Amino acid sequence: RAANSSCKYDEAELILQTTCEKARCFEDKVPSYYLLVTMFLSQGKVVEAYTTGSSILSQLGETVPEVEAVTLEMAGGMVLETCGMYAEVAGDDWLAKKMEDDTVINILNFFSVMATAAYFCKPMHMVAYFVCKSVQLSLRKGVCQHTPLALMQLSFIAIRFDNASFVSGIAKNAMVLSEKFNLSNRMAEIRLHFYMGAGHLESFQFGASQLRKGFGSGLTSGDANTAFYCAIQGTFFSIISGEKELSLLLQEIDYYLHLLKTYKSEMTRKYLLCYRETVSILIDKGEATAIDAKLSHEDVSDPGNKLLEVFYFHEVFRNYWLGYPERSKYYIKKYGEIVVPRYFEVYVVKFYSALNILDMLKKKMNITKSEEVDEIIASMKIAASHAGPNFKNKLELLEAEQYGVDNYPGKAMASYSAAIESARKNNYIHEQGLACEKAGFYCKRMRYTEKSLEYFKKARKCYEEWGSAMKVDFIQRELDKFI
């Protein structure tokens, strides 16, 4: 374990092999095999982690099905069944029932780690399969030190806006149980899964700050694997919420990349390179901030690769802010072809999709697309009702743009003001700037010259605070036209 924490992976693997050879029985080998799987994950060797975990589960008496044998419908049924089982026992003393069988405890632990490996190299319904198997073991056999993580993983795969309250309750019970077992050494891992699921109902900005703490505590406890997953998720939250000034965020990403020269996780490096390119583009189109290392197309060409989803999302995000609506629209379509609709990130993509459509409607293009905007606004209302800090300003901006297209100037101006205020209140500085920018263009079309000038100046100030020279230059060109 010490060699693994020090990133001496070859030495750690040799020690584990020696330990397994000297072990008297298979049960004595299991902890070493578990450490080996987590070591593979730390290095980004997710396929090796998955294969090794499958082998150990088989030796523990569990059959790991082929991907083709677990359909999306089957996994969905397992999630519903597991949530139903949880609902039946949640009100009684289930949390007080201890799991006693060491073999079952080991199986549960390996199901959880298999879910993590599957997340990066298998379809999401395989993640659901392993999570449900681990939680169902606890529901039938009682709780152990691995149950909190299993429950938090369940909250991640099960949560949707229509069951948010119920699944948030699962996440809260996981937190209570982690305190009961005094799992301070695993809190980074539990916190990570919270912010991959139920934590989406809280402010993305708050999540970014908490995951930054998770990164620190993960490294301190010797769990580099979880630490860097916290860095990945936290950086993603920071980008989409404008949580940190862009040049400072770029420095933070570069710090993570520097550490990876020691910690050597190629998977984490690829994620961070993708994020870095996005931030660099937002600052200055990469003119002075880009580096040679980038996420290549070969890195995301495998349809089962989790990076493909990340790549498409960031292409949507980048191209919208660059002002390339056709490219953004292309990647919105590609993203929609591979992503499960329940993902909360989907609502961010829907937001940019609706803005693109509304821009076309302003030009009297694709009038039939107005129904799609109606559907997105309806879904955004649901999102805003559950996660207001993240979606309320987006909803109000879409409504403002739609009112403008439909020629309701009074409602449009009121909704622009509401969107600006909601973004300001929740510190979404980039989207505050965007709402001011959109209001400026609307006022320009309506010949409200003074209001247009005022909104463009506010947009420039927001973009300056965000640290996007690219957007500042864009707005400045509009301001120059008033001279």
Side-chain angles (χ1 to χ4, degrees), residues 187-250:
M187 280 310 298
E189 192 174 8
I190 292 168
R191 178 180 284 157
L192 168 66
H193 283 87
F194 175 76
Y195 283 106
M196 291 175 71
H200 280 72
L201 301 175
E202 297 182 355
S203 165
F204 289 150
Q205 296 201 350
F206 182 70
S209 67
Q210 291 299 301
L211 286 162
R212 209 169 276 122
K213 294 177 182 177
F215 171 77
S217 62
L219 281 189
T220 300
S221 65
D223 187 358
N225 177 45
T226 297
F228 280 102
Y229 290 160
C230 284
I232 289 171
Q233 187 67 24
T235 303
F236 174 71
F237 276 176
S238 187
I239 290 171
I240 63 174
S241 68
E243 180 256 354
K244 202 166 192 177
E245 196 272 337
L246 290 171
S247 64
L248 296 178
L249 182 56
L250 195 71

Side-chain angles (χ1 to χ4, degrees), residues 81-97 135 138-140 143 151 154 165-174 176-177:
E81 178 189 14
T82 307
C83 288
M85 291 172 63
Y86 175 87
E88 289 178 6
V89 303
D92 56 29
D93 62 349
W94 167 68
L95 291 176
K97 181 182 176 183
V135 173
S138 265
L139 291 170
R140 293 191 179 108
V143 300
L151 287 175
L154 177 63
S165 178
F166 171 74
V167 176
S168 291
I170 296 176
K172 288 176 182 176
N173 270 340
V176 170
L177 200 56

Side-chain angles (χ1 to χ4, degrees), residues 92 107 386 422:
D92 56 29
I107 290 171
H386 290 285
S422 293

Side-chain angles (χ1 to χ4, degrees), residues 427-467:
N427 299 313
Y428 272 53
I429 191 65
H430 62 319
E431 290 177 3
Q432 182 184 346
L434 181 61
C436 290
E437 175 188 329
K438 293 290 187 182
F441 278 115
Y442 176 72
C443 290
K444 185 177 180 179
R445 290 195 303 275
M446 298 297 290
R447 301 184 188 280
Y448 305 155
T449 305
E450 289 186 8
K451 291 295 292 183
S452 178
L453 180 61
E454 178 186 341
Y455 278 125
F456 281 135
K457 286 181 178 179
K458 288 180 178 178
R460 182 181 61 186
K461 185 174 185 297
C462 289
Y463 291 145
E464 286 172 345
E465 189 174 334
W466 186 29

